[in-house]
């Protein structure tokens, strides 16, 4: 068996390379680089994919979150986020002068713990950023109830959940959702990219202005904006890839079914809430022997990952929040026990079988 990569983007490219190469050539031939026709087309198509009215392409998932907070006029106060997430969720809040208030996670779904959310709400709280982590939606029903009761905004971090559903509804479930098109995401560009998706016309218009120097009209600036546009070249690539996203997500789900079947009774496999349809950005197993297992798999040419080894509250960058070890016991325990197995649409059946056989060998099963 050849080495099994955690993620192999080349295989995906090989399946669509002619289409992609022709498109890239066309964009360059037309010198259509900034806010061109492909950005417009992609925005229309991705809004439709998410069953939302508007999509605004921006330069990354981090910037999508930052601009969404800004567009909702959240300029001071506290924002509740899970401590088990990628650092960008917290950075978006800090960058808008908002204080991230961390909450622990549910040990089964790894998504934010609703009870802890309620405990952490104060008079300063202005918003909640639920993260649909690993492709599984949060418990949005309860979260919306809490947000309404306390008059809080919700901004959904959908950066790992392109196409995921809560009940019958695609993310974002509430009015504003932020996506990343970092190359390794379920829908990835060939560089950085992101989008805000919303049903709120005012939010969409505000982000369109903010991403483009605060100018509704060239050289006329109504507010102090930024340069946070989605490249037209990236939008052109995303437009092609979007046509395959459902197929690729379904392949991920098939891969998960095989993993689950082969690993049943061997190791802790992902638990998906009955209200959620995950798009499995990542496939996470859990074991107390994580480090040894990871080493064993590495020695057998199987690449794995840890998402994430250090929760936000123990990151040096957030030492100013004053947290210490033990503050979020569930997240800390998970960060020591979780392991992400190879997961992408083009992963082959025999590769999954090989990975599972090695895991069985490790556990003597
Ligand atoms: C990838 C990711 C981001 C940030 O997206 P970028 O495009 O890399 O800026 C934010 N939140 C989560 C949960 C992510 O996985």
């Amino acid at each position: 068996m050849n080495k099994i990569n955690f993620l192999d983007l080349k295989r995906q490219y090989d399946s669509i390379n002619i289409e992609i190469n022709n498109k890239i050539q066309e964009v360059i031939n037309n010198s259509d680089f900034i806010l061109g026709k492909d950005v417009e087309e992609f925005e229309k198509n991705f809004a439709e994919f998410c069953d939302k009215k508007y999509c605004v392409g921006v330069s990354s998932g981090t910037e999508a979150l930052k601009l969404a907070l800004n567009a909702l006029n959240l300029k001071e106060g506290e924002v509740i986020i899970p401590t088990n997430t990628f650092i960008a969720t917290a950075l978006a809040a800090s960058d808008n002068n908002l204080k991230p208030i961390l909450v622990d996670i549910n040990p089964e779904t790894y998504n934010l713990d609703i009870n802890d959310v309620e405990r952490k709400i104060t008079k300063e709280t202005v918003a909640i950023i639920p993260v649909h982590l690993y492709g599984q939606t949060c418990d949005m029903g309860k979260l919306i109830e809490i947000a309404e009761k306390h008059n809080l905004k919700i901004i959904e971090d959908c950066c790992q959940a392109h196409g995921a559903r809560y009940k019958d509804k695609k993310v974002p479930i509430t009015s504003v959702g932020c996506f990343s098109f970092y190359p390794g995401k379920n829908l990835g560009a060939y560089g950085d990219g992101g989008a805000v998706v919303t049903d709120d016309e005012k939010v969409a218009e505000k982000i369109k202005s903010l991403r483009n120097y605060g100018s509704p009209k060239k050289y006329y600036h109504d507010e102090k904006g930024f340069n946070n546009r989605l490249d037209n070249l990236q939008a052109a690539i995303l437009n092609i890839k979007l046509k395959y996203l459902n197929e690729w997500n379904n392949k991920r789900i098939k891969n998960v079914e095989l993993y689950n079947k082969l690993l049943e009774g061997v190791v802790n496999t992902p638990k998906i809430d009955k209200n959620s349809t995950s798009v499995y950005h990542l496939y996470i197993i859990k074991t107390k022997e994580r480090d040894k297992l990871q080493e064993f798999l590495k020695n057998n040419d199987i690449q794995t990952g840890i998402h994430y080894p250090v929760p936000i509250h123990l990151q040096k960058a957030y030492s100013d929040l004053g947290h210490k070890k033990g503050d979020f016991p569930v997240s800390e325990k998970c960060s020591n026990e979780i392991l992400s197995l190879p997961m992408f649409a083009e992963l082959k059946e025999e590769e999954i079988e090989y990975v599972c056989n090695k895991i069985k060998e490790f556990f003597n099963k």
Side-chain angles (χ1 to χ4, degrees), residues 60-62 65 85-86 88-89 131 157 159-160 180 182 185 193 308:
S60 72
T62 310
L65 288 161
T85 180
F86 180 59
T89 320
V131 182
D157 183 337
C159 290
Q160 301 188 2
S180 164
Y182 179 86
K185 304 289 162 115
Y308 295 92

Side-chain angles (χ1 to χ4, degrees), residues 8-22 24 190 237 240-241 244 248 346:
D8 188 340
L9 291 174
K10 180 70 166 49
R11 273 191 208 170
Q12 188 193 66
Y13 170 67
D14 286 344
S15 72
I16 51 173
N17 55 3
I18 295 172
E19 222 178 331
I20 293 275
N21 293 354
N22 288 342
I24 290 175
Y190 291 164
I237 291 163
I240 292 174
K241 286 181 144 203
Y244 301 97
W248 289 335
E346 299 78 13

Side-chain angles (χ1 to χ4, degrees), residues 83-337:
T83 190
N84 177 38
T85 180
F86 180 59
I87 191 91
T89 320
L91 292 176
S94 315
D95 206 67
N96 277 297
N97 265 325
L98 298 158
K99 183 177 179 187
I101 299 295
L102 303 171
V103 296
D104 214 341
I105 56 166
N106 177 305
E108 302 252 287
T109 64
Y110 307 115
N111 274 329
L112 44 69
D113 171 357
I114 298 289
N115 297 320
D116 205 24
V117 171
E118 266 207 297
R119 275 196 293 273
K120 298 286 166 64
I121 292 172
T122 71
K123 283 202 287 293
E124 308 299 318
T125 314
V126 292
I128 307 170
I129 309 183
V131 182
H132 304 304
L133 203 67
Y134 312 145
Q136 167 167 215
T137 51
C138 299
D139 186 354
M140 292 307 291
K142 287 218 186 89
L143 203 69
I144 291 167
E145 251 175 56
I146 294 172
E148 280 175 356
K149 189 168 134 200
H150 297 273
N151 200 17
L152 306 175
K153 297 270 199 281
I154 294 180
I155 297 98
E156 294 176 46
D157 183 337
C158 308
C159 290
Q160 301 188 2
H162 316 67
R165 286 170 197 270
Y166 175 78
K167 296 185 177 166
D168 286 332
K169 208 171 169 191
K170 272 194 190 160
V171 297
I173 308 308
T174 55
S175 168
V176 184
C178 301
F179 289 86
S180 164
F181 305 122
Y182 179 86
K185 304 289 162 115
N186 289 37
L187 178 62
Y190 291 164
D192 278 310
V196 179
V197 168
T198 181
D199 276 331
D200 187 327
E201 188 182 2
K202 279 205 186 103
V203 168
E205 288 307 314
K206 176 89 178 170
I207 292 172
K208 273 191 177 172
S209 163
L210 286 175
R211 76 171 171 183
N212 193 32
Y213 321 112
S215 63
K217 188 174 155 203
K218 202 164 188 179
Y219 304 131
Y220 291 81
H221 304 274
D222 291 357
E223 59 189 330
K224 297 185 189 79
F226 312 94
N227 179 347
N228 279 151
R229 298 173 299 240
L230 174 65
D231 271 0
N232 196 60
L233 199 59
Q234 298 301 346
I237 291 163
L238 288 167
N239 250 330
I240 292 174
K241 286 181 144 203
L242 181 57
K243 291 189 293 182
Y244 301 97
L245 182 55
N246 280 330
E247 180 190 324
W248 289 335
N249 279 344
N250 287 335
K251 282 190 178 160
R252 283 175 185 268
I253 291 169
K254 275 192 89 174
N255 291 342
V256 166
E257 284 167 359
L258 185 58
Y259 264 131
N260 282 345
K261 189 175 120 201
L262 297 175
L263 292 177
E264 199 191 325
V266 178
V267 72
N268 230 307
T269 54
K271 307 276 179 300
I272 304 302
D273 187 88
K274 64 177 192 316
N275 289 324
S276 179
T277 308
S278 177
V279 289
Y280 291 100
H281 175 58
L282 296 170
Y283 183 84
I284 311 278
I285 58 170
K286 190 161 72 169
T287 167
K288 289 204 161 58
E289 294 174 84
R290 192 268 312 275
D291 291 343
K292 277 191 206 137
L293 175 61
Q294 186 174 38
E295 184 65 24
F296 178 81
L297 294 176
K298 188 177 157 212
N299 293 337
N300 283 286
D301 267 349
I302 299 167
Q303 198 183 32
T304 58
I306 298 172
H307 301 88
Y308 295 92
V310 184
I312 306 284
H313 70 281
L314 298 177
Q315 294 282 2
K316 240 192 241 165
Y318 280 104
S319 56
D320 58 335
L321 294 177
H323 286 298
K324 56 180 188 314
K325 252 195 174 147
D327 282 358
F328 300 94
V330 182
S331 293
E332 288 171 32
K333 189 169 174 322
C334 286
S335 68
N336 292 323
E337 297 182 0

